[in-house]
Amino acid sequence: MDGCELSGISNAERKKLTVADFSKMKAQRQRIVMVTSYDYPTSLIADDVGVDSILVGDSYGMVVLGYDTTIPVTVEELLPVCQAVRRGASHSLLIGDMPFLSFQISEEDAIRNAGRFIKEGRMEAVKIEGGREMAHIAKAVSNSGIPVLGHIGVTPQTATLHGGYRVRGKNADSGKRLVEDAKSLEEAGVFGIVLEMITEEMARVITQAVSVPTIGIGSGRYCDGQVLVLHDILGLYPRLVPRFAKRYADLASTIKGAVTEYVAEVRRGTFPEEKHVFKMDDTERDKIDLREMP
Ligand code: KIV
């Protein structure tokens, strides 16, 4: 049963999700489902099974391009990925992740780059990492007419500066700072906030403290929605499996099995078979003397 069947709404009846629907979903306590996608086929599948939103995450740099971190990712790298995802999705809200240094330098630069995600990447919103220190940027982008999703807790682009991938909100002081971060983003006009690797208790407090939906990743059960990196769900990223992610498939093994079989069949000469080949008409073939062929 897919997400559409679960909600009792067929794809034909589904309407395109907007940022306004995100806040309605929070008000109606309907859990928001978000997943990353980096290509046309997985965007088509995610949209078809009924996810509410697709994030073209800068995690693309790690899980697809093989970078060690998300820091090297550029706007130029993400734009064609956004376009491919856009071609596959007709219902989900599409969000482009602004890469490191594409929004921090100045408000003007942030608006210009966010605009590229909308105009060239054909996304409908952008995500910006950072709490109160990025609130002025989130405000400028959102005031320019581009919906912004905030992102606090572990922010991979600045993880090294903030002590790595440590769970946030483990004590009252850091918990209070997270609430302040969330509130400054809310005031800046974001339409939602990703909470990454925040203790379940603090994620719950933040979710109650702000009017915009919270989308958790490694932040427990009380967020308004959840997001996961597609390759973690599919078992397709070999380097690291975060404890908070659930692997719903083991595609790495499936792919390995398929390619191993292909290699063996080519070497044995059992692929291609009769059904895979193209034939000439007998009359045409008879005109060719194979001995004359080079
Ligand atoms: O880049 C990404 O995939 C993300 C999610 C982890 C929220 O930022």
Side-chain angles (χ1 to χ4, degrees):
M1 193 181 276
D2 66 27
C4 294
E5 288 170 88
L6 278 171
S7 64
I9 301 169
S10 73
N11 261 336
E13 290 168 310
R14 267 172 85 202
K15 68 177 191 66
K16 175 93 186 90
L17 248 96
T18 64
V19 292
D21 294 314
F22 260 48
S23 65
K24 273 189 220 145
M25 288 173 85
K26 174 161 180 141
Q28 293 166 357
R29 294 179 181 272
Q30 242 180 292
R31 290 193 184 93
I32 299 167
V33 187
M34 186 184 289
V35 70
T36 66
S37 167
Y38 319 101
D39 56 33
Y40 172 75
T42 61
S43 163
L44 207 56
I45 293 168
D47 195 69
D48 195 48
V49 301
V51 302
D52 300 307
S53 177
I54 296 179
L55 171 70
V56 180
D58 62 355
S59 48
Y60 167 73
M62 295 176 73
V63 301
V64 178
L65 299 182
Y67 297 150
D68 291 335
T69 68
T70 56
I71 289 172
V73 177
T74 63
V75 175
E76 301 304 332
E77 280 171 329
L78 280 184
L79 288 179
V81 179
C82 291
Q83 290 160 356
V85 166
R86 171 67 192 218
R87 285 180 211 116
S90 35
H91 301 102
S92 333
L93 176 71
L94 300 176
I95 304 171
D97 204 3
M98 295 195 67
F100 184 55
L101 287 194
S102 70
F103 59 91
Q104 292 93 336
I105 294 167
S106 69
E107 292 173 12
E108 198 182 302
D109 204 38
I111 295 170
R112 188 176 305 109
N113 284 322
R116 294 194 70 192
F117 275 89
I118 307 296
K119 292 174 70 154
E120 297 172 50
R122 305 199 49 230
M123 298 284 99
E124 293 146 345
V126 295
K127 178 166 80 60
I128 287 178
E129 286 189 13
R132 75 200 78 171
E133 74 289 358
M134 284 300 140
H136 68 112
I137 298 283
K139 186 171 184 174
V141 173
S142 136
N143 280 348
S144 78
I146 300 171
V148 177
L149 180 67
H151 182 157
I152 60 170
V154 168
T155 44
Q157 294 171 9
T158 46
T160 30
L161 179 70
H162 298 120
Y165 284 74
R166 279 183 305 103
V167 176
R168 304 297 200 268
K170 280 186 136 177
N171 58 50
D173 280 347
S174 85
K176 281 182 196 155
R177 278 198 300 278
L178 286 167
V179 176
E180 284 160 16
D181 280 336
K183 283 188 163 287
S184 28
L185 290 176
E186 180 187 27
E187 273 163 37
V190 300
F191 71 89
I193 308 173
V194 169
L195 306 183
E196 181 161 352
M197 286 180 73
I198 292 176
T199 55
E200 185 171 68
E201 295 84 345
M202 279 318 304
R204 189 178 201 172
V205 170
I206 296 166
T207 300
Q208 285 164 356
V210 293
S211 60
V212 294
T214 57
I215 313 292
I217 174 160
S219 297
R221 292 161 288 187
Y222 303 107
C223 300
D224 297 305
Q226 297 288 331
V227 56
L228 278 180
V229 169
L230 184 72
H231 287 50
D232 291 338
I233 296 178
L234 300 181
L236 203 49
Y237 183 62
R239 282 200 191 154
L240 168 98
V241 184
R243 183 165 82 77
F244 59 73
K246 180 166 174 184
R247 184 182 273 189
Y248 289 83
D250 184 6
L251 282 201
S253 301
T254 307
I255 294 171
K256 201 168 171 183
V259 180
T260 304
E261 211 176 318
Y262 165 68
V263 169
E265 289 197 357
V266 171
R267 295 215 167 112
R268 274 199 305 266
T270 53
F271 174 82
E273 298 165 45
E274 176 78 20
K275 64 184 174 196
H276 302 121
V277 302
F278 304 102
K279 293 284 200 181
M280 293 174 88
D281 285 341
D282 288 351
T283 45
E284 292 301 312
R285 192 192 53 214
D286 291 345
K287 289 182 207 162
I288 294 179
D289 183 346
L290 289 175
R291 284 164 310 182
E292 282 174 12
M293 291 292 126

